[in-house]
mmCIF file of all heavy atoms in Angstrom:
data_model
loop_
_atom_site.group_PDB
_atom_site.id
_atom_site.type_symbol
_atom_site.label_atom_id
_atom_site.label_comp_id
_atom_site.label_asym_id
_atom_site.label_seq_id
_atom_site.Cartn_x
_atom_site.Cartn_y
_atom_site.Cartn_z
ATOM 1 N N ALA W 1 273.156 213.024 154.460
ATOM 2 C CA ALA W 1 273.853 214.244 154.059
ATOM 3 C C ALA W 1 273.516 215.439 154.961
ATOM 4 O O ALA W 1 274.327 216.367 155.094
ATOM 5 C CB ALA W 1 273.514 214.570 152.599
ATOM 6 N N THR W 2 272.366 215.428 155.569
ATOM 7 C CA THR W 2 272.018 216.503 156.500
ATOM 8 C C THR W 2 272.550 216.246 157.918
ATOM 9 O O THR W 2 272.341 217.074 158.811
ATOM 10 C CB THR W 2 270.480 216.675 156.618
ATOM 11 O OG1 THR W 2 269.904 215.534 157.252
ATOM 12 C CG2 THR W 2 269.832 216.914 155.248
ATOM 13 N N GLY W 3 273.218 215.122 158.095
ATOM 14 C CA GLY W 3 273.643 214.756 159.448
ATOM 15 C C GLY W 3 272.431 214.321 160.256
ATOM 16 O O GLY W 3 272.442 214.361 161.488
ATOM 17 N N ASN W 4 271.390 213.866 159.546
ATOM 18 C CA ASN W 4 270.108 213.528 160.140
ATOM 19 C C ASN W 4 269.460 214.719 160.833
ATOM 20 O O ASN W 4 268.530 214.556 161.645
ATOM 21 C CB ASN W 4 270.215 212.326 161.070
ATOM 22 C CG ASN W 4 270.207 210.996 160.323
ATOM 23 O OD1 ASN W 4 269.169 210.585 159.777
ATOM 24 N ND2 ASN W 4 271.330 210.367 160.236
ATOM 25 N N LEU W 5 269.895 215.935 160.488
ATOM 26 C CA LEU W 5 269.227 217.144 160.981
ATOM 27 C C LEU W 5 267.951 217.393 160.188
ATOM 28 O O LEU W 5 267.230 218.331 160.465
ATOM 29 C CB LEU W 5 270.162 218.369 160.881
ATOM 30 C CG LEU W 5 271.354 218.323 161.842
ATOM 31 C CD1 LEU W 5 272.174 219.612 161.707
ATOM 32 C CD2 LEU W 5 270.903 218.145 163.280
ATOM 33 N N SER W 6 267.719 216.552 159.182
ATOM 34 C CA SER W 6 266.382 216.539 158.532
ATOM 35 C C SER W 6 265.351 216.073 159.546
ATOM 36 O O SER W 6 264.163 216.349 159.389
ATOM 37 C CB SER W 6 266.398 215.616 157.318
ATOM 38 O OG SER W 6 267.067 214.415 157.640
ATOM 39 N N TYR W 7 265.833 215.396 160.594
ATOM 40 C CA TYR W 7 264.986 215.059 161.761
ATOM 41 C C TYR W 7 265.319 216.045 162.883
ATOM 42 O O TYR W 7 265.713 215.660 163.966
ATOM 43 C CB TYR W 7 265.249 213.619 162.219
ATOM 44 C CG TYR W 7 264.807 212.588 161.216
ATOM 45 C CD1 TYR W 7 265.754 211.921 160.413
ATOM 46 C CD2 TYR W 7 263.449 212.284 161.067
ATOM 47 C CE1 TYR W 7 265.344 210.983 159.498
ATOM 48 C CE2 TYR W 7 263.055 211.334 160.123
ATOM 49 C CZ TYR W 7 264.004 210.679 159.344
ATOM 50 O OH TYR W 7 263.607 209.743 158.421
ATOM 51 N N GLN W 8 265.168 217.344 162.568
ATOM 52 C CA GLN W 8 265.534 218.375 163.534
ATOM 53 C C GLN W 8 264.700 218.317 164.800
ATOM 54 O O GLN W 8 265.199 218.591 165.906
ATOM 55 C CB GLN W 8 265.367 219.746 162.857
ATOM 56 C CG GLN W 8 265.921 220.904 163.659
ATOM 57 C CD GLN W 8 267.432 220.945 163.679
ATOM 58 O OE1 GLN W 8 268.040 220.682 164.709
ATOM 59 N NE2 GLN W 8 268.061 221.253 162.555
ATOM 60 N N ILE W 9 263.424 217.955 164.661
ATOM 61 C CA ILE W 9 262.566 217.850 165.845
ATOM 62 C C ILE W 9 263.160 216.802 166.806
ATOM 63 O O ILE W 9 263.313 217.044 167.996
ATOM 64 C CB ILE W 9 261.127 217.490 165.459
ATOM 65 C CG1 ILE W 9 260.503 218.604 164.640
ATOM 66 C CG2 ILE W 9 260.293 217.207 166.702
ATOM 67 C CD1 ILE W 9 259.181 218.245 163.968
ATOM 68 N N GLU W 10 263.452 215.643 166.261
ATOM 69 C CA GLU W 10 263.990 214.565 167.056
ATOM 70 C C GLU W 10 265.369 214.925 167.630
ATOM 71 O O GLU W 10 265.695 214.605 168.790
ATOM 72 C CB GLU W 10 264.075 213.285 166.254
ATOM 73 C CG GLU W 10 262.732 212.641 165.907
ATOM 74 C CD GLU W 10 261.913 213.387 164.876
ATOM 75 O OE1 GLU W 10 262.492 214.220 164.120
ATOM 76 O OE2 GLU W 10 260.676 213.163 164.767
ATOM 77 N N HIS W 11 266.157 215.620 166.832
ATOM 78 C CA HIS W 11 267.494 216.032 167.287
ATOM 79 C C HIS W 11 267.378 217.040 168.442
ATOM 80 O O HIS W 11 268.147 216.965 169.416
ATOM 81 C CB HIS W 11 268.280 216.670 166.144
ATOM 82 C CG HIS W 11 269.585 217.274 166.584
ATOM 83 N ND1 HIS W 11 270.593 216.526 167.159
ATOM 84 C CD2 HIS W 11 270.028 218.553 166.564
ATOM 85 C CE1 HIS W 11 271.602 217.317 167.467
ATOM 86 N NE2 HIS W 11 271.294 218.543 167.104
ATOM 87 N N HIS W 12 266.448 217.975 168.341
ATOM 88 C CA HIS W 12 266.290 218.953 169.426
ATOM 89 C C HIS W 12 265.779 218.308 170.713
ATOM 90 O O HIS W 12 266.117 218.732 171.810
ATOM 91 C CB HIS W 12 265.355 220.086 168.979
ATOM 92 C CG HIS W 12 266.081 221.185 168.292
ATOM 93 N ND1 HIS W 12 265.443 222.177 167.571
ATOM 94 C CD2 HIS W 12 267.421 221.478 168.210
ATOM 95 C CE1 HIS W 12 266.331 223.018 167.097
ATOM 96 N NE2 HIS W 12 267.520 222.617 167.459
ATOM 97 N N LEU W 13 264.987 217.301 170.563
ATOM 98 C CA LEU W 13 264.520 216.571 171.764
ATOM 99 C C LEU W 13 265.655 215.800 172.404
ATOM 100 O O LEU W 13 265.773 215.786 173.646
ATOM 101 C CB LEU W 13 263.369 215.605 171.378
ATOM 102 C CG LEU W 13 262.033 216.241 171.029
ATOM 103 C CD1 LEU W 13 261.103 215.205 170.420
ATOM 104 C CD2 LEU W 13 261.401 216.906 172.230
ATOM 105 N N PHE W 14 266.478 215.159 171.583
ATOM 106 C CA PHE W 14 267.541 214.297 172.081
ATOM 107 C C PHE W 14 268.856 214.600 171.355
ATOM 108 O O PHE W 14 269.324 213.827 170.545
ATOM 109 C CB PHE W 14 267.176 212.834 171.891
ATOM 110 C CG PHE W 14 265.794 212.454 172.406
ATOM 111 C CD1 PHE W 14 264.824 211.961 171.544
ATOM 112 C CD2 PHE W 14 265.482 212.582 173.758
ATOM 113 C CE1 PHE W 14 263.560 211.624 171.998
ATOM 114 C CE2 PHE W 14 264.223 212.257 174.216
ATOM 115 C CZ PHE W 14 263.259 211.749 173.366
ATOM 116 N N PRO W 15 269.501 215.726 171.644
ATOM 117 C CA PRO W 15 270.685 216.136 170.887
ATOM 118 C C PRO W 15 271.892 215.221 171.058
ATOM 119 O O PRO W 15 272.766 215.198 170.187
ATOM 120 C CB PRO W 15 270.990 217.545 171.411
ATOM 121 C CG PRO W 15 270.277 217.641 172.737
ATOM 122 C CD PRO W 15 269.086 216.780 172.599
ATOM 123 N N ASP W 16 271.935 214.422 172.135
ATOM 124 C CA ASP W 16 273.067 213.543 172.314
ATOM 125 C C ASP W 16 272.716 212.082 172.001
ATOM 126 O O ASP W 16 273.500 211.166 172.297
ATOM 127 C CB ASP W 16 273.594 213.621 173.764
ATOM 128 C CG ASP W 16 272.549 213.325 174.816
ATOM 129 O OD1 ASP W 16 271.376 213.154 174.474
ATOM 130 O OD2 ASP W 16 272.916 213.263 176.001
ATOM 131 N N MET W 17 271.618 211.845 171.342
ATOM 132 C CA MET W 17 271.265 210.495 170.855
ATOM 133 C C MET W 17 271.901 210.279 169.496
ATOM 134 O O MET W 17 271.880 211.161 168.641
ATOM 135 C CB MET W 17 269.727 210.367 170.738
ATOM 136 C CG MET W 17 269.270 209.003 170.211
ATOM 137 S SD MET W 17 267.464 208.908 169.967
ATOM 138 C CE MET W 17 266.896 208.925 171.667
ATOM 139 N N PRO W 18 272.522 209.099 169.244
ATOM 140 C CA PRO W 18 273.125 208.853 167.933
ATOM 141 C C PRO W 18 272.154 209.129 166.798
ATOM 142 O O PRO W 18 270.995 208.672 166.812
ATOM 143 C CB PRO W 18 273.476 207.350 168.008
ATOM 144 C CG PRO W 18 273.818 207.146 169.461
ATOM 145 C CD PRO W 18 272.785 208.004 170.199
ATOM 146 N N SER W 19 272.618 209.898 165.828
ATOM 147 C CA SER W 19 271.747 210.451 164.777
ATOM 148 C C SER W 19 271.030 209.380 163.995
ATOM 149 O O SER W 19 269.931 209.621 163.511
ATOM 150 C CB SER W 19 272.583 211.305 163.829
ATOM 151 O OG SER W 19 273.650 210.539 163.288
ATOM 152 N N ARG W 20 271.608 208.189 163.814
ATOM 153 C CA ARG W 20 270.963 207.163 163.007
ATOM 154 C C ARG W 20 269.686 206.671 163.644
ATOM 155 O O ARG W 20 268.845 206.060 162.980
ATOM 156 C CB ARG W 20 271.909 205.960 162.776
ATOM 157 C CG ARG W 20 272.136 205.114 164.006
ATOM 158 C CD ARG W 20 273.064 203.912 163.695
ATOM 159 N NE ARG W 20 272.388 202.940 162.855
ATOM 160 C CZ ARG W 20 271.741 201.879 163.315
ATOM 161 N NH1 ARG W 20 271.635 201.660 164.621
ATOM 162 N NH2 ARG W 20 271.200 201.010 162.481
ATOM 163 N N ARG W 21 269.459 206.982 164.915
ATOM 164 C CA ARG W 21 268.245 206.526 165.610
ATOM 165 C C ARG W 21 267.060 207.480 165.423
ATOM 166 O O ARG W 21 265.944 207.138 165.781
ATOM 167 C CB ARG W 21 268.537 206.386 167.123
ATOM 168 C CG ARG W 21 269.536 205.270 167.444
ATOM 169 C CD ARG W 21 269.018 203.908 167.058
ATOM 170 N NE ARG W 21 269.847 202.840 167.541
ATOM 171 C CZ ARG W 21 269.409 201.838 168.332
ATOM 172 N NH1 ARG W 21 268.133 201.814 168.729
ATOM 173 N NH2 ARG W 21 270.235 200.873 168.717
ATOM 174 N N TYR W 22 267.303 208.668 164.858
ATOM 175 C CA TYR W 22 266.216 209.628 164.702
ATOM 176 C C TYR W 22 265.130 209.110 163.756
ATOM 177 O O TYR W 22 263.927 209.272 164.012
ATOM 178 C CB TYR W 22 266.736 210.981 164.207
ATOM 179 C CG TYR W 22 267.641 211.698 165.194
ATOM 180 C CD1 TYR W 22 268.686 212.524 164.765
ATOM 181 C CD2 TYR W 22 267.452 211.561 166.576
ATOM 182 C CE1 TYR W 22 269.500 213.166 165.669
ATOM 183 C CE2 TYR W 22 268.275 212.203 167.468
ATOM 184 C CZ TYR W 22 269.313 213.010 167.009
ATOM 185 O OH TYR W 22 270.135 213.670 167.897
ATOM 186 N N GLN W 23 265.549 208.491 162.667
ATOM 187 C CA GLN W 23 264.563 207.956 161.734
ATOM 188 C C GLN W 23 263.710 206.857 162.383
ATOM 189 O O GLN W 23 262.522 206.772 162.145
ATOM 190 C CB GLN W 23 265.268 207.403 160.483
ATOM 191 C CG GLN W 23 264.305 206.922 159.408
ATOM 192 C CD GLN W 23 265.010 206.593 158.096
ATOM 193 O OE1 GLN W 23 266.241 206.546 158.032
ATOM 194 N NE2 GLN W 23 264.232 206.379 157.057
ATOM 195 N N GLU W 24 264.336 206.091 163.247
ATOM 196 C CA GLU W 24 263.651 205.012 163.946
ATOM 197 C C GLU W 24 262.563 205.551 164.899
ATOM 198 O O GLU W 24 261.478 204.991 164.984
ATOM 199 C CB GLU W 24 264.688 204.216 164.723
ATOM 200 C CG GLU W 24 264.123 203.165 165.680
ATOM 201 C CD GLU W 24 265.200 202.592 166.552
ATOM 202 O OE1 GLU W 24 266.347 202.390 166.093
ATOM 203 O OE2 GLU W 24 264.912 202.340 167.751
ATOM 204 N N ILE W 25 262.877 206.636 165.618
ATOM 205 C CA ILE W 25 261.918 207.126 166.610
ATOM 206 C C ILE W 25 260.955 208.163 166.044
ATOM 207 O O ILE W 25 259.982 208.508 166.703
ATOM 208 C CB ILE W 25 262.658 207.744 167.839
ATOM 209 C CG1 ILE W 25 263.395 209.029 167.438
ATOM 210 C CG2 ILE W 25 263.585 206.735 168.476
ATOM 211 C CD1 ILE W 25 263.943 209.814 168.613
ATOM 212 N N ALA W 26 261.216 208.632 164.821
ATOM 213 C CA ALA W 26 260.359 209.677 164.231
ATOM 214 C C ALA W 26 258.883 209.315 164.215
ATOM 215 O O ALA W 26 258.031 210.170 164.567
ATOM 216 C CB ALA W 26 260.865 210.042 162.848
ATOM 217 N N PRO W 27 258.498 208.097 163.823
ATOM 218 C CA PRO W 27 257.057 207.797 163.851
ATOM 219 C C PRO W 27 256.473 207.866 165.265
ATOM 220 O O PRO W 27 255.301 208.271 165.423
ATOM 221 C CB PRO W 27 257.007 206.346 163.335
ATOM 222 C CG PRO W 27 258.245 206.181 162.509
ATOM 223 C CD PRO W 27 259.282 207.005 163.225
ATOM 224 N N GLN W 28 257.233 207.492 166.277
ATOM 225 C CA GLN W 28 256.725 207.587 167.659
ATOM 226 C C GLN W 28 256.592 209.030 168.086
ATOM 227 O O GLN W 28 255.647 209.389 168.791
ATOM 228 C CB GLN W 28 257.686 206.840 168.591
ATOM 229 C CG GLN W 28 257.829 205.354 168.253
ATOM 230 C CD GLN W 28 258.959 204.701 169.042
ATOM 231 O OE1 GLN W 28 258.867 204.544 170.263
ATOM 232 N NE2 GLN W 28 260.038 204.295 168.362
ATOM 233 N N ILE W 29 257.529 209.872 167.700
ATOM 234 C CA ILE W 29 257.442 211.308 168.009
ATOM 235 C C ILE W 29 256.255 211.934 167.304
ATOM 236 O O ILE W 29 255.474 212.708 167.896
ATOM 237 C CB ILE W 29 258.733 212.030 167.599
ATOM 238 C CG1 ILE W 29 259.943 211.463 168.351
ATOM 239 C CG2 ILE W 29 258.602 213.538 167.837
ATOM 240 C CD1 ILE W 29 259.862 211.606 169.857
ATOM 241 N N ARG W 30 256.048 211.551 166.032
ATOM 242 C CA ARG W 30 254.915 212.110 165.290
ATOM 243 C C ARG W 30 253.593 211.659 165.913
ATOM 244 O O ARG W 30 252.618 212.437 165.949
ATOM 245 C CB ARG W 30 254.980 211.680 163.823
ATOM 246 C CG ARG W 30 253.960 212.405 162.979
ATOM 247 C CD ARG W 30 254.349 212.421 161.527
ATOM 248 N NE ARG W 30 253.544 213.362 160.762
ATOM 249 C CZ ARG W 30 253.794 213.761 159.528
ATOM 250 N NH1 ARG W 30 254.864 213.251 158.901
ATOM 251 N NH2 ARG W 30 253.025 214.597 158.890
ATOM 252 N N ALA W 31 253.570 210.435 166.421
ATOM 253 C CA ALA W 31 252.346 209.962 167.087
ATOM 254 C C ALA W 31 252.043 210.786 168.354
ATOM 255 O O ALA W 31 250.893 211.054 168.663
ATOM 256 C CB ALA W 31 252.506 208.485 167.462
ATOM 257 N N LEU W 32 253.121 211.190 169.057
ATOM 258 C CA LEU W 32 252.909 212.070 170.216
ATOM 259 C C LEU W 32 252.343 213.430 169.799
ATOM 260 O O LEU W 32 251.451 213.983 170.438
ATOM 261 C CB LEU W 32 254.242 212.286 170.947
ATOM 262 C CG LEU W 32 254.735 211.134 171.817
ATOM 263 C CD1 LEU W 32 256.119 211.478 172.397
ATOM 264 C CD2 LEU W 32 253.768 210.845 172.954
ATOM 265 N N PHE W 33 252.864 213.979 168.700
ATOM 266 C CA PHE W 33 252.335 215.227 168.163
ATOM 267 C C PHE W 33 250.833 215.093 167.905
ATOM 268 O O PHE W 33 250.029 215.953 168.286
ATOM 269 C CB PHE W 33 253.026 215.587 166.869
ATOM 270 C CG PHE W 33 254.275 216.420 167.015
ATOM 271 C CD1 PHE W 33 255.473 215.858 167.382
ATOM 272 C CD2 PHE W 33 254.259 217.797 166.797
ATOM 273 C CE1 PHE W 33 256.642 216.595 167.508
ATOM 274 C CE2 PHE W 33 255.392 218.560 166.890
ATOM 275 C CZ PHE W 33 256.607 217.966 167.269
ATOM 276 N N ASP W 34 250.463 214.016 167.239
ATOM 277 C CA ASP W 34 249.042 213.791 166.894
ATOM 278 C C ASP W 34 248.196 213.664 168.154
ATOM 279 O O ASP W 34 247.089 214.237 168.256
ATOM 280 C CB ASP W 34 248.907 212.547 166.007
ATOM 281 C CG ASP W 34 249.503 212.742 164.634
ATOM 282 O OD1 ASP W 34 249.732 213.921 164.243
ATOM 283 O OD2 ASP W 34 249.809 211.721 163.975
ATOM 284 N N ARG W 35 248.694 212.891 169.108
ATOM 285 C CA ARG W 35 247.921 212.642 170.327
ATOM 286 C C ARG W 35 247.689 213.901 171.146
ATOM 287 O O ARG W 35 246.629 214.084 171.761
ATOM 288 C CB ARG W 35 248.613 211.564 171.167
ATOM 289 C CG ARG W 35 247.905 211.175 172.458
ATOM 290 C CD ARG W 35 248.032 209.665 172.704
ATOM 291 N NE ARG W 35 249.401 209.229 172.659
ATOM 292 C CZ ARG W 35 250.250 209.288 173.682
ATOM 293 N NH1 ARG W 35 249.866 209.772 174.836
ATOM 294 N NH2 ARG W 35 251.486 208.812 173.561
ATOM 295 N N TYR W 36 248.681 214.803 171.120
ATOM 296 C CA TYR W 36 248.558 216.041 171.901
ATOM 297 C C TYR W 36 248.073 217.225 171.064
ATOM 298 O O TYR W 36 248.034 218.360 171.537
ATOM 299 C CB TYR W 36 249.904 216.389 172.543
ATOM 300 C CG TYR W 36 250.222 215.504 173.734
ATOM 301 C CD1 TYR W 36 251.087 214.399 173.573
ATOM 302 C CD2 TYR W 36 249.686 215.736 174.987
ATOM 303 C CE1 TYR W 36 251.405 213.580 174.669
ATOM 304 C CE2 TYR W 36 249.989 214.925 176.063
ATOM 305 C CZ TYR W 36 250.849 213.855 175.899
ATOM 306 O OH TYR W 36 251.130 213.017 176.989
ATOM 307 N N GLY W 37 247.696 216.947 169.817
ATOM 308 C CA GLY W 37 247.136 218.000 168.960
ATOM 309 C C GLY W 37 248.137 219.038 168.525
ATOM 310 O O GLY W 37 247.792 220.213 168.328
ATOM 311 N N LEU W 38 249.410 218.657 168.319
ATOM 312 C CA LEU W 38 250.462 219.570 167.926
ATOM 313 C C LEU W 38 250.762 219.399 166.426
ATOM 314 O O LEU W 38 250.529 218.345 165.841
ATOM 315 C CB LEU W 38 251.718 219.305 168.744
ATOM 316 C CG LEU W 38 251.566 219.327 170.257
ATOM 317 C CD1 LEU W 38 252.892 218.924 170.947
ATOM 318 C CD2 LEU W 38 251.125 220.713 170.735
#
């Protein structure tokens, strides 16, 4: 319902990536945040 803009971080990183893939990559993006202390 949000257009997967609930994954706004992932969308801003890859705005032209099909939205259904944001949920898939979100754990990997969050792992990067943790690794870099963000």
Side-chain angles (χ1 to χ4, degrees):
T2 67
N4 278 289
L5 292 183
S6 44
Y7 294 104
Q8 189 72 251
I9 296 169
E10 289 72 18
H11 173 61
H12 272 167
L13 289 169
F14 310 119
D16 58 353
M17 178 184 289
S19 57
R20 72 178 291 266
R21 294 297 188 122
Y22 294 149
Q23 185 170 9
E24 172 190 322
I25 67 171
Q28 299 170 69
I29 299 299
R30 189 158 193 169
L32 284 176
F33 271 79
D34 292 341
R35 181 142 52 85
Y36 286 98
L38 305 175

